Each structure stands twice: as structure tokens, then as C-alpha cells.
Amino acid sequence: MRRSYNIPLSGLEARITGVLLCVVGALQAAEPADAIWSARYLITEDAQHRVIENGAVAVKDGRILAVGTRTQINARYTPKQRLDRPEAILAPGLINTHTHAAMSLFRGIADDLRLQDWLEKFIFPAEAKNVTADFVRWGTRLGCLEMLLGGTTTFTDMYYFEDVVAEASKEAGMRGVLGETIIGFPVADNKTPADALVYTERFLQRFAGDPLIVAAVAPHALYTNSDETLKACRALANKHKAPLIIHLSETKKENDDELAKRHTTPTKTLDTLGVWNGRSIAAHAVWVGEADMAILKQRGVGIGHCPSSNMKLASGVAPVTRMLELDLPVGLGPDGPAGSNNDFNLFEEMDLAAKLAKVTTGNPQALPASAALEMATIRGARALGMEKEIGSLEPGKRADMIMVRIDRPNAQPLYDAVSQMVYALKASDVRDVMVDGKPVVRDAKILTLNEAQILAKAAEYRARISASLR
Ligand SMILES: [Zn+2]
């Protein structure tokens, strides 16, 4: 505070006035914050989709206190720590709505195959021989490492030993919506779907109220589970107010089989079974028609669109443009790293979602950059039923945010920060990441995990897995 006085003050008066001014100044700038992060552009993904030049976010106790210009935020808050990046975009942490993190240890094990061949000839046998709690722990650590370094702050996962997935996610400081895969044949940790349901209930109880983990119920798919198991999954999810995660109409074969068996679609069958009666997240939804989308809309089903996976496995093209017209909560997912993608790069998924929609509709406006970024952030949060907590940078929300550098050749010049995020920036441009108010990546280095040890373990597993398949 600066003021000029016309009346000359005595020495004592001047000292007293000076002290008072300091106290007033300190009071005005004294609201404490744990951290302030500021950047050249702040993408909020709030209801107005504001992009604030020279923007800043103040954080306290894991939540966002305020969002505004750097000048406004600096005037009001005194942070314990601050990070100013005049050559970066500050954006909400990216949200992965469908993946299998631990499969990172199978990365590239068998490429260029159709889903059924890839699953039945390679993945299921490789899993039968190799998946243990230790495998899942190291695979999830590797997955979380790649995801955090690439700006993903929340992931939605279904695999085996999911309690270990949750432990590894918490260790990484990453947010997870996690469910133990329930499937109609014996797997590494559960011999029957009934065993998997018992496991899941313990899992739901163990992680109830956890600040980072949302425990879910995850029947693999309609075609790999009995009707009774699917109904039991829904009942268990509703008993614990948990979401249900499932693969839906990923391939044409899944739909053809259901048509032959029950003369209807997987979406309709699952509706008839009551599976959509509660919070649900359906991955893929490639082969869904108007009647199916009407059901998904009516039931509020979140959708995990996986463009890389659908392209790589030649599964088809999900009608995402139509889903957006219907305002369905559709997010993005990289799916599996083992052959259906093979990475966890949400920058790539944004880019591909936009371009795949354009090339298949013949309309360059079918899925604009703004819609792609929305799918990776606030619309993805809606898909998970977590839009009140994450997905945008707004006061009261959990402080999940990323700094993306814009001082490299692929980022300059910059006319539109949102366009740059989707079409020009890369996961490798992510410089800093905060989850739940805690920095987990600083200057492109992970703070929570032992990177060298994880990479050494990945090499060790590669040798072991290769030998097991000979
Ligand atoms: Zn999947």
C-alpha cells in the first residue's frame, strides 16, 4: 500500500503510521495458501471455458482456493510455496476414463492383431503365466510413472490384484477409479466370479472414503460374464454407492453374438438386466446405435472413448460426434498398453479423437479442439461422476493440475492455448503436476516413485515374460 500525505508527520507519528500501514498491508495480503501456481495461460475448463492470460491458482489443504489473474491472486494470498512459469500453460490434470495400468509390462508383446486373436492367443496365456501381485505392483508403478509424467492425474482401471493397484496408485500420489476385473473364467487372484465379488466387497470396504481412490465394481463385459454375475455386480456397487466399470460393444462381433443369442444389443441387454441402474462407466461403446445411445443418455452412463485402441485393433469408430450432440458424458482413455495402444498418452488421445471424428464424418468441425480438451478434463470427470471434485480449475475443487511448457519449437508461436494443447503439445511437454494439492512431478521429474528402479524391474520382467512364452 502506498499513500502520499500532505501533512508532514513527526518522526514518532511517521513510525506509528508506518507500522499501521504494514499491519493493514499484511492483513490484506495475509490469507494463507499452501501454494500458488501461475503461468502464461490458465485454461480453467469452467462453465464459461475461460482462458486467463497470466493466470494463477491458489491451493490450500488439497483444494483450490481461488483462480484469477496472477495480480489478483498475489494480492490476496501468501503461499508457503510458489511456482511461476511464464512459458507454460496451466491446465486441469488430464483424466483417463479407461485403462489397464499393470499391462504396461506386456507393452508391445503382440501387435497388429484383432482383439479376439490378441486376447486369446497372447494376452490370456501371458497373463495366466505371469500375473502375480508383484507383477501388478511393478506394472502399475510403471503405468503411474508414465501417466503422471504425461499429465494424467486420474486414471480409471480394471485389472487383477486391484488392491495392489490401489496401493501403487496411492504411493504414486495419483487419483484412481479402480475395480477388480470380474470375469467368467479362473484368473490369477480369483478362481470364480463369486470369489471376485467377495474380493471386490473387501476392496470397497478397505478404500471407502480414501482421498485418492474411488473403489469400483468391474465386470469385464457382457460376453465374459453370466447374467447372474452382472446383476450381482450392480447390487454390490449400489450397496456401497460405488461406480460400475464395464467394456461395452467394443467390437462388431460382440454385437453380432448378442444379436444371434438374444436378438438385441449389448446395451439393451445390460439395461434389461438392470446393470445401468446406478453410476456406470462403459468403455469403448463403438458399436452403439441411436436406441443404445438413448438408453445410455437416460441412464447417465459415462463413456470411455478409446480412439487409439479402436484404431489399432480395427475395432471401429465410436459415434462420438453424435454422443456429444446428445451431451453424453464421454471421456477419453488409452485402454491397454500391451497391444491395443501401446501407451498412456492422453495428449495423443485428444489429438486422435478430434482427427478420427473429422476423417470419418468428412467434417473438420465434427470434434473441435475445445471438445477434445473438454473430454480429457471436465467431460471425463462427468463420465466418472466426479465433476464436482475434479476436471476443472475452480474454487472448491481438488487441486489436480498440470504445467505444460510452451517454450519448445512445437509450441511456438501460440495463437490459441486450447488448440495448442490438443494439436501441438505432447505428453513430454508436461513439466509439473499436482494431485490433491501435492506436487508429484517437478520439472519433468517424478517426486513420488523411484524411476530407475521401476525401469530396471520392467527390463527384468521383459526377460521373464519372454521366457514364459517360449
Ligand atoms: Zn479395456
Side-chain angles (χ1 to χ4, degrees):
M1 284 181 73
R2 288 192 186 85
R3 279 184 199 159
S4 58
Y5 291 89
N6 297 327
I7 304 162
L9 302 173
S10 71
L12 181 63
E13 281 170 333
R15 278 202 295 281
I16 291 168
T17 308
V19 168
L20 284 174
L21 287 176
C22 283
V23 169
V24 171
L27 282 175
Q28 286 205 336
E31 280 187 58
D34 292 337
I36 290 178
W37 280 19
S38 78
R40 178 75 178 84
Y41 298 97
L42 164 59
I43 296 176
T44 62
E45 288 297 324
D46 65 8
Q48 295 78 42
H49 292 278
R50 284 185 306 151
V51 177
I52 302 172
E53 279 202 60
N54 299 310
V57 175
V59 170
K60 190 167 189 294
D61 299 330
R63 290 189 184 269
I64 295 171
L65 275 177
V67 173
T69 65
R70 183 162 47 227
T71 311
Q72 288 168 338
I73 297 298
N74 285 349
R76 194 166 152 200
Y77 298 98
T78 305
K80 287 181 200 149
Q81 294 181 331
R82 59 179 310 131
L83 181 65
D84 298 299
R85 297 266 194 224
E87 297 296 335
I89 292 170
L90 178 52
L94 304 181
I95 295 171
N96 168 343
T97 58
H98 181 66
T99 206
H100 313 278
M103 291 179 85
S104 59
L105 291 175
F106 293 135
R107 191 192 312 268
I109 195 172
D111 287 324
D112 309 326
L113 296 166
R114 284 190 186 280
L115 177 72
Q116 290 312 320
D117 288 341
W118 173 74
L119 275 177
E120 286 160 19
K121 293 184 184 153
F122 291 91
I123 292 301
F124 290 154
E127 285 180 334
K129 288 173 181 157
N130 294 286
V131 174
T132 61
D134 187 72
F135 171 99
V136 169
R137 191 174 306 280
W138 287 104
T140 306
R141 282 174 175 156
L142 179 61
C144 288
L145 175 64
E146 182 184 343
M147 285 191 265
L148 286 174
L149 289 174
T152 301
T153 51
T154 296
F155 74 118
T156 309
D157 190 86
M158 62 156 92
Y159 205 56
Y160 308 109
F161 297 100
E162 203 70 24
D163 53 348
V164 175
V165 175
E167 287 166 11
S169 311
K170 284 171 69 69
E171 178 192 326
M174 192 165 180
R175 200 178 295 289
V177 178
L178 314 175
E180 167 78 9
T181 303
I182 298 169
I183 197 161
F185 56 78
V187 294
D189 54 344
N190 288 296
K191 296 304 159 207
T192 65
D195 292 346
L197 281 160
V198 171
Y199 177 107
T200 298
E201 181 145 39
R202 277 202 309 269
F203 179 68
L204 293 166
Q205 287 161 344
R206 179 175 167 195
F207 291 98
D210 191 279
L212 287 177
I213 305 301
V214 174
V217 182
H220 173 265
L222 171 65
Y223 64 93
T224 47
N225 279 296
S226 69
D227 293 355
E228 289 63 40
T229 299
L230 291 163
K231 286 185 198 167
C233 286
R234 181 76 264 170
L236 181 62
N238 287 359
K239 180 180 167 191
H240 292 271
K241 297 188 172 60
L244 180 147
I245 309 172
I246 191 166
H247 291 93
L248 174 70
S249 290
E250 179 175 358
T251 61
K252 185 164 182 299
K253 183 179 184 313
E254 180 179 339
N255 277 41
D256 289 347
D257 289 352
E258 190 58 14
L259 191 65
K261 186 177 166 193
R262 285 190 263 218
H263 312 292
T264 185
T265 65
T267 302
K268 182 83 179 88
T269 297
L270 289 165
D271 194 42
T272 306
L273 293 173
V275 170
W276 305 134
N277 291 340
R279 167 61 51 195
S280 311
I281 304 149
H284 299 292
V286 173
W287 296 91
V288 289
E290 278 298 319
D292 296 323
M293 285 188 275
I295 291 170
L296 296 172
K297 165 116 182 150
Q298 190 194 354
R299 302 295 186 198
V301 176
I303 294 160
H305 174 46
C306 304
S308 285
S309 172
N310 299 158
M311 291 166 78
K312 188 155 184 280
L313 298 170
S315 298
V317 181
V320 178
T321 304
R322 182 65 183 141
M323 290 175 186
L324 293 176
E325 278 170 9
L326 294 168
D327 196 26
L328 295 184
V330 48
L332 293 173
D335 198 10
S340 57
N341 188 325
N342 298 351
D343 57 20
F344 300 104
N345 184 341
L346 281 179
F347 283 83
E348 193 174 77
E349 301 305 325
M350 287 195 283
D351 184 70
L352 286 176
K355 289 173 182 169
L356 182 60
K358 294 175 203 301
V359 74
T360 49
T361 59
N363 176 7
Q365 294 177 330
L367 205 163
S370 55
L373 184 60
E374 189 184 74
M375 287 167 76
T377 55
I378 186 64
R379 194 177 286 273
R382 274 178 60 202
L384 303 181
M386 295 174 75
E387 68 274 17
K388 291 196 173 75
E389 292 284 57
I390 57 172
S392 63
L393 299 181
E394 295 180 85
K397 284 202 170 178
R398 301 279 196 175
D400 292 6
M401 54 192 191
I402 60 174
M403 285 276 197
V404 191
R405 61 191 305 166
I406 51 171
D407 57 352
R408 284 185 173 152
N410 61 303
Q412 288 295 327
L414 190 157
Y415 300 97
D416 180 321
V418 171
S419 161
Q420 216 81 331
M421 282 285 283
V422 174
Y423 298 128
L425 297 176
K426 313 291 172 200
S428 53
D429 292 319
V430 172
R431 202 161 170 193
D432 312 279
V433 179
M434 176 183 279
V435 180
D436 215 41
K438 293 181 191 70
V440 289
V441 174
R442 171 62 52 87
D443 216 1
K445 294 275 181 291
I446 193 84
L447 301 175
T448 48
L449 296 167
N450 184 336
E451 178 164 354
Q453 194 186 19
I454 291 168
L455 297 180
K457 272 284 176 184
E460 201 181 303
Y461 262 104
R462 191 202 74 87
R464 201 184 300 179
I465 291 162
S466 299
S468 81
L469 292 177
R470 270 187 217 121

mmCIF file with all atom_site columns, all heavy atoms in Angstrom, residues 429-445:
data_model
loop_
_atom_site.group_PDB
_atom_site.id
_atom_site.type_symbol
_atom_site.label_atom_id
_atom_site.label_alt_id
_atom_site.label_comp_id
_atom_site.label_asym_id
_atom_site.label_entity_id
_atom_site.label_seq_id
_atom_site.pdbx_PDB_ins_code
_atom_site.Cartn_x
_atom_site.Cartn_y
_atom_site.Cartn_z
_atom_site.occupancy
_atom_site.B_iso_or_equiv
_atom_site.pdbx_formal_charge
_atom_site.auth_seq_id
_atom_site.auth_comp_id
_atom_site.auth_asym_id
_atom_site.auth_atom_id
_atom_site.pdbx_PDB_model_num
ATOM 1   N N   . ASP A 1 429 ? 5.848  -32.623 -23.016 1.00 0.00 ? 429 ASP A N   1
ATOM 2   C CA  . ASP A 1 429 ? 5.959  -31.194 -22.686 1.00 0.00 ? 429 ASP A CA  1
ATOM 3   C C   . ASP A 1 429 ? 5.460  -30.887 -21.265 1.00 0.00 ? 429 ASP A C   1
ATOM 4   O O   . ASP A 1 429 ? 5.556  -29.750 -20.811 1.00 0.00 ? 429 ASP A O   1
ATOM 5   C CB  . ASP A 1 429 ? 5.155  -30.352 -23.692 1.00 0.00 ? 429 ASP A CB  1
ATOM 6   C CG  . ASP A 1 429 ? 5.768  -30.393 -25.088 1.00 0.00 ? 429 ASP A CG  1
ATOM 7   O OD1 . ASP A 1 429 ? 7.008  -30.330 -25.181 1.00 0.00 ? 429 ASP A OD1 1
ATOM 8   O OD2 . ASP A 1 429 ? 5.014  -30.500 -26.070 1.00 0.00 ? 429 ASP A OD2 1
ATOM 9   N N   . VAL A 1 430 ? 4.898  -31.894 -20.592 1.00 0.00 ? 430 VAL A N   1
ATOM 10  C CA  . VAL A 1 430 ? 4.411  -31.665 -19.225 1.00 0.00 ? 430 VAL A CA  1
ATOM 11  C C   . VAL A 1 430 ? 5.609  -31.462 -18.303 1.00 0.00 ? 430 VAL A C   1
ATOM 12  O O   . VAL A 1 430 ? 6.563  -32.242 -18.316 1.00 0.00 ? 430 VAL A O   1
ATOM 13  C CB  . VAL A 1 430 ? 3.547  -32.853 -18.747 1.00 0.00 ? 430 VAL A CB  1
ATOM 14  C CG1 . VAL A 1 430 ? 3.208  -32.724 -17.267 1.00 0.00 ? 430 VAL A CG1 1
ATOM 15  C CG2 . VAL A 1 430 ? 2.277  -32.933 -19.585 1.00 0.00 ? 430 VAL A CG2 1
ATOM 16  N N   . ARG A 1 431 ? 5.552  -30.391 -17.523 1.00 0.00 ? 431 ARG A N   1
ATOM 17  C CA  . ARG A 1 431 ? 6.707  -30.058 -16.692 1.00 0.00 ? 431 ARG A CA  1
ATOM 18  C C   . ARG A 1 431 ? 6.455  -30.268 -15.203 1.00 0.00 ? 431 ARG A C   1
ATOM 19  O O   . ARG A 1 431 ? 7.347  -30.688 -14.472 1.00 0.00 ? 431 ARG A O   1
ATOM 20  C CB  . ARG A 1 431 ? 7.063  -28.590 -16.960 1.00 0.00 ? 431 ARG A CB  1
ATOM 21  C CG  . ARG A 1 431 ? 8.483  -28.290 -16.609 1.00 0.00 ? 431 ARG A CG  1
ATOM 22  C CD  . ARG A 1 431 ? 9.009  -27.039 -17.256 1.00 0.00 ? 431 ARG A CD  1
ATOM 23  N NE  . ARG A 1 431 ? 10.303 -26.747 -16.654 1.00 0.00 ? 431 ARG A NE  1
ATOM 24  C CZ  . ARG A 1 431 ? 10.947 -25.626 -16.789 1.00 0.00 ? 431 ARG A CZ  1
ATOM 25  N NH1 . ARG A 1 431 ? 10.441 -24.645 -17.529 1.00 0.00 ? 431 ARG A NH1 1
ATOM 26  N NH2 . ARG A 1 431 ? 12.104 -25.431 -16.201 1.00 0.00 ? 431 ARG A NH2 1
ATOM 27  N N   . ASP A 1 432 ? 5.256  -29.941 -14.763 1.00 0.00 ? 432 ASP A N   1
ATOM 28  C CA  . ASP A 1 432 ? 4.934  -30.078 -13.332 1.00 0.00 ? 432 ASP A CA  1
ATOM 29  C C   . ASP A 1 432 ? 3.515  -30.621 -13.197 1.00 0.00 ? 432 ASP A C   1
ATOM 30  O O   . ASP A 1 432 ? 2.645  -30.293 -14.003 1.00 0.00 ? 432 ASP A O   1
ATOM 31  C CB  . ASP A 1 432 ? 4.999  -28.718 -12.629 1.00 0.00 ? 432 ASP A CB  1
ATOM 32  C CG  . ASP A 1 432 ? 6.268  -27.968 -12.967 1.00 0.00 ? 432 ASP A CG  1
ATOM 33  O OD1 . ASP A 1 432 ? 7.309  -28.265 -12.365 1.00 0.00 ? 432 ASP A OD1 1
ATOM 34  O OD2 . ASP A 1 432 ? 6.212  -27.103 -13.865 1.00 0.00 ? 432 ASP A OD2 1
ATOM 35  N N   . VAL A 1 433 ? 3.313  -31.409 -12.156 1.00 0.00 ? 433 VAL A N   1
ATOM 36  C CA  . VAL A 1 433 ? 1.996  -31.999 -11.920 1.00 0.00 ? 433 VAL A CA  1
ATOM 37  C C   . VAL A 1 433 ? 1.680  -31.943 -10.432 1.00 0.00 ? 433 VAL A C   1
ATOM 38  O O   . VAL A 1 433 ? 2.537  -32.264 -9.596  1.00 0.00 ? 433 VAL A O   1
ATOM 39  C CB  . VAL A 1 433 ? 1.955  -33.475 -12.397 1.00 0.00 ? 433 VAL A CB  1
ATOM 40  C CG1 . VAL A 1 433 ? 0.595  -34.095 -12.131 1.00 0.00 ? 433 VAL A CG1 1
ATOM 41  C CG2 . VAL A 1 433 ? 2.313  -33.585 -13.878 1.00 0.00 ? 433 VAL A CG2 1
ATOM 42  N N   . MET A 1 434 ? 0.450  -31.535 -10.127 1.00 0.00 ? 434 MET A N   1
ATOM 43  C CA  . MET A 1 434 ? -0.029 -31.548 -8.740  1.00 0.00 ? 434 MET A CA  1
ATOM 44  C C   . MET A 1 434 ? -1.277 -32.424 -8.689  1.00 0.00 ? 434 MET A C   1
ATOM 45  O O   . MET A 1 434 ? -2.143 -32.321 -9.558  1.00 0.00 ? 434 MET A O   1
ATOM 46  C CB  . MET A 1 434 ? -0.372 -30.114 -8.295  1.00 0.00 ? 434 MET A CB  1
ATOM 47  C CG  . MET A 1 434 ? -0.962 -30.013 -6.903  1.00 0.00 ? 434 MET A CG  1
ATOM 48  S SD  . MET A 1 434 ? -1.431 -28.309 -6.484  1.00 0.00 ? 434 MET A SD  1
ATOM 49  C CE  . MET A 1 434 ? 0.141  -27.610 -6.004  1.00 0.00 ? 434 MET A CE  1
ATOM 50  N N   . VAL A 1 435 ? -1.347 -33.289 -7.681  1.00 0.00 ? 435 VAL A N   1
ATOM 51  C CA  . VAL A 1 435 ? -2.554 -34.085 -7.453  1.00 0.00 ? 435 VAL A CA  1
ATOM 52  C C   . VAL A 1 435 ? -2.987 -33.894 -6.009  1.00 0.00 ? 435 VAL A C   1
ATOM 53  O O   . VAL A 1 435 ? -2.176 -34.065 -5.090  1.00 0.00 ? 435 VAL A O   1
ATOM 54  C CB  . VAL A 1 435 ? -2.329 -35.589 -7.732  1.00 0.00 ? 435 VAL A CB  1
ATOM 55  C CG1 . VAL A 1 435 ? -3.615 -36.377 -7.476  1.00 0.00 ? 435 VAL A CG1 1
ATOM 56  C CG2 . VAL A 1 435 ? -1.846 -35.829 -9.152  1.00 0.00 ? 435 VAL A CG2 1
ATOM 57  N N   . ASP A 1 436 ? -4.249 -33.499 -5.835  1.00 0.00 ? 436 ASP A N   1
ATOM 58  C CA  . ASP A 1 436 ? -4.798 -33.326 -4.487  1.00 0.00 ? 436 ASP A CA  1
ATOM 59  C C   . ASP A 1 436 ? -3.951 -32.344 -3.658  1.00 0.00 ? 436 ASP A C   1
ATOM 60  O O   . ASP A 1 436 ? -3.773 -32.524 -2.457  1.00 0.00 ? 436 ASP A O   1
ATOM 61  C CB  . ASP A 1 436 ? -4.883 -34.687 -3.784  1.00 0.00 ? 436 ASP A CB  1
ATOM 62  C CG  . ASP A 1 436 ? -6.108 -34.777 -2.879  1.00 0.00 ? 436 ASP A CG  1
ATOM 63  O OD1 . ASP A 1 436 ? -7.186 -34.307 -3.293  1.00 0.00 ? 436 ASP A OD1 1
ATOM 64  O OD2 . ASP A 1 436 ? -5.979 -35.292 -1.757  1.00 0.00 ? 436 ASP A OD2 1
ATOM 65  N N   . GLY A 1 437 ? -3.431 -31.337 -4.347  1.00 0.00 ? 437 GLY A N   1
ATOM 66  C CA  . GLY A 1 437 ? -2.663 -30.297 -3.656  1.00 0.00 ? 437 GLY A CA  1
ATOM 67  C C   . GLY A 1 437 ? -1.197 -30.628 -3.442  1.00 0.00 ? 437 GLY A C   1
ATOM 68  O O   . GLY A 1 437 ? -0.455 -29.795 -2.933  1.00 0.00 ? 437 GLY A O   1
ATOM 69  N N   . LYS A 1 438 ? -0.780 -31.830 -3.834  1.00 0.00 ? 438 LYS A N   1
ATOM 70  C CA  . LYS A 1 438 ? 0.627  -32.224 -3.612  1.00 0.00 ? 438 LYS A CA  1
ATOM 71  C C   . LYS A 1 438 ? 1.374  -32.293 -4.935  1.00 0.00 ? 438 LYS A C   1
ATOM 72  O O   . LYS A 1 438 ? 0.925  -32.971 -5.867  1.00 0.00 ? 438 LYS A O   1
ATOM 73  C CB  . LYS A 1 438 ? 0.696  -33.591 -2.930  1.00 0.00 ? 438 LYS A CB  1
ATOM 74  C CG  . LYS A 1 438 ? 0.160  -33.575 -1.526  1.00 0.00 ? 438 LYS A CG  1
ATOM 75  C CD  . LYS A 1 438 ? 0.268  -34.950 -0.887  1.00 0.00 ? 438 LYS A CD  1
ATOM 76  C CE  . LYS A 1 438 ? -0.517 -34.975 0.403   1.00 0.00 ? 438 LYS A CE  1
ATOM 77  N NZ  . LYS A 1 438 ? -1.991 -34.910 0.183   1.00 0.00 ? 438 LYS A NZ  1
ATOM 78  N N   . PRO A 1 439 ? 2.532  -31.636 -5.022  1.00 0.00 ? 439 PRO A N   1
ATOM 79  C CA  . PRO A 1 439 ? 3.341  -31.766 -6.240  1.00 0.00 ? 439 PRO A CA  1
ATOM 80  C C   . PRO A 1 439 ? 3.853  -33.202 -6.362  1.00 0.00 ? 439 PRO A C   1
ATOM 81  O O   . PRO A 1 439 ? 4.408  -33.747 -5.410  1.00 0.00 ? 439 PRO A O   1
ATOM 82  C CB  . PRO A 1 439 ? 4.507  -30.791 -6.012  1.00 0.00 ? 439 PRO A CB  1
ATOM 83  C CG  . PRO A 1 439 ? 4.094  -29.930 -4.872  1.00 0.00 ? 439 PRO A CG  1
ATOM 84  C CD  . PRO A 1 439 ? 3.152  -30.744 -4.036  1.00 0.00 ? 439 PRO A CD  1
ATOM 85  N N   . VAL A 1 440 ? 3.638  -33.804 -7.530  1.00 0.00 ? 440 VAL A N   1
ATOM 86  C CA  . VAL A 1 440 ? 4.116  -35.176 -7.749  1.00 0.00 ? 440 VAL A CA  1
ATOM 87  C C   . VAL A 1 440 ? 5.125  -35.233 -8.895  1.00 0.00 ? 440 VAL A C   1
ATOM 88  O O   . VAL A 1 440 ? 5.882  -36.202 -9.004  1.00 0.00 ? 440 VAL A O   1
ATOM 89  C CB  . VAL A 1 440 ? 2.951  -36.159 -8.003  1.00 0.00 ? 440 VAL A CB  1
ATOM 90  C CG1 . VAL A 1 440 ? 2.150  -36.390 -6.725  1.00 0.00 ? 440 VAL A CG1 1
ATOM 91  C CG2 . VAL A 1 440 ? 2.020  -35.662 -9.100  1.00 0.00 ? 440 VAL A CG2 1
ATOM 92  N N   . VAL A 1 441 ? 5.109  -34.221 -9.764  1.00 0.00 ? 441 VAL A N   1
ATOM 93  C CA  . VAL A 1 441 ? 6.132  -34.084 -10.797 1.00 0.00 ? 441 VAL A CA  1
ATOM 94  C C   . VAL A 1 441 ? 6.644  -32.655 -10.720 1.00 0.00 ? 441 VAL A C   1
ATOM 95  O O   . VAL A 1 441 ? 5.842  -31.712 -10.645 1.00 0.00 ? 441 VAL A O   1
ATOM 96  C CB  . VAL A 1 441 ? 5.570  -34.360 -12.213 1.00 0.00 ? 441 VAL A CB  1
ATOM 97  C CG1 . VAL A 1 441 ? 6.616  -34.066 -13.288 1.00 0.00 ? 441 VAL A CG1 1
ATOM 98  C CG2 . VAL A 1 441 ? 5.072  -35.795 -12.334 1.00 0.00 ? 441 VAL A CG2 1
ATOM 99  N N   . ARG A 1 442 ? 7.962  -32.490 -10.689 1.00 0.00 ? 442 ARG A N   1
ATOM 100 C CA  . ARG A 1 442 ? 8.560  -31.158 -10.677 1.00 0.00 ? 442 ARG A CA  1
ATOM 101 C C   . ARG A 1 442 ? 9.653  -31.114 -11.738 1.00 0.00 ? 442 ARG A C   1
ATOM 102 O O   . ARG A 1 442 ? 10.541 -31.949 -11.736 1.00 0.00 ? 442 ARG A O   1
ATOM 103 C CB  . ARG A 1 442 ? 9.141  -30.856 -9.281  1.00 0.00 ? 442 ARG A CB  1
ATOM 104 C CG  . ARG A 1 442 ? 9.981  -29.617 -9.142  1.00 0.00 ? 442 ARG A CG  1
ATOM 105 C CD  . ARG A 1 442 ? 9.217  -28.320 -9.441  1.00 0.00 ? 442 ARG A CD  1
ATOM 106 N NE  . ARG A 1 442 ? 7.970  -28.161 -8.709  1.00 0.00 ? 442 ARG A NE  1
ATOM 107 C CZ  . ARG A 1 442 ? 7.869  -27.622 -7.491  1.00 0.00 ? 442 ARG A CZ  1
ATOM 108 N NH1 . ARG A 1 442 ? 8.932  -27.196 -6.867  1.00 0.00 ? 442 ARG A NH1 1
ATOM 109 N NH2 . ARG A 1 442 ? 6.685  -27.514 -6.923  1.00 0.00 ? 442 ARG A NH2 1
ATOM 110 N N   . ASP A 1 443 ? 9.507  -30.187 -12.660 1.00 0.00 ? 443 ASP A N   1
ATOM 111 C CA  . ASP A 1 443 ? 10.479 -30.040 -13.752 1.00 0.00 ? 443 ASP A CA  1
ATOM 112 C C   . ASP A 1 443 ? 10.708 -31.380 -14.476 1.00 0.00 ? 443 ASP A C   1
ATOM 113 O O   . ASP A 1 443 ? 11.845 -31.775 -14.729 1.00 0.00 ? 443 ASP A O   1
ATOM 114 C CB  . ASP A 1 443 ? 11.803 -29.478 -13.197 1.00 0.00 ? 443 ASP A CB  1
ATOM 115 C CG  . ASP A 1 443 ? 12.420 -28.527 -14.210 1.00 0.00 ? 443 ASP A CG  1
ATOM 116 O OD1 . ASP A 1 443 ? 11.809 -28.314 -15.280 1.00 0.00 ? 443 ASP A OD1 1
ATOM 117 O OD2 . ASP A 1 443 ? 13.522 -28.024 -13.937 1.00 0.00 ? 443 ASP A OD2 1
ATOM 118 N N   . ALA A 1 444 ? 9.600  -32.017 -14.800 1.00 0.00 ? 444 ALA A N   1
ATOM 119 C CA  . ALA A 1 444 ? 9.585  -33.277 -15.559 1.00 0.00 ? 444 ALA A CA  1
ATOM 120 C C   . ALA A 1 444 ? 10.256 -34.448 -14.838 1.00 0.00 ? 444 ALA A C   1
ATOM 121 O O   . ALA A 1 444 ? 10.629 -35.447 -15.465 1.00 0.00 ? 444 ALA A O   1
ATOM 122 C CB  . ALA A 1 444 ? 10.193 -33.086 -16.955 1.00 0.00 ? 444 ALA A CB  1
ATOM 123 N N   . LYS A 1 445 ? 10.399 -34.343 -13.521 1.00 0.00 ? 445 LYS A N   1
ATOM 124 C CA  . LYS A 1 445 ? 10.957 -35.450 -12.731 1.00 0.00 ? 445 LYS A CA  1
ATOM 125 C C   . LYS A 1 445 ? 9.908  -35.901 -11.711 1.00 0.00 ? 445 LYS A C   1
ATOM 126 O O   . LYS A 1 445 ? 9.309  -35.073 -11.020 1.00 0.00 ? 445 LYS A O   1
ATOM 127 C CB  . LYS A 1 445 ? 12.209 -34.993 -11.969 1.00 0.00 ? 445 LYS A CB  1
ATOM 128 C CG  . LYS A 1 445 ? 13.384 -34.642 -12.895 1.00 0.00 ? 445 LYS A CG  1
ATOM 129 C CD  . LYS A 1 445 ? 14.182 -35.901 -13.267 1.00 0.00 ? 445 LYS A CD  1
ATOM 130 C CE  . LYS A 1 445 ? 15.365 -35.572 -14.154 1.00 0.00 ? 445 LYS A CE  1
ATOM 131 N NZ  . LYS A 1 445 ? 14.979 -35.133 -15.511 1.00 0.00 ? 445 LYS A NZ  1
#
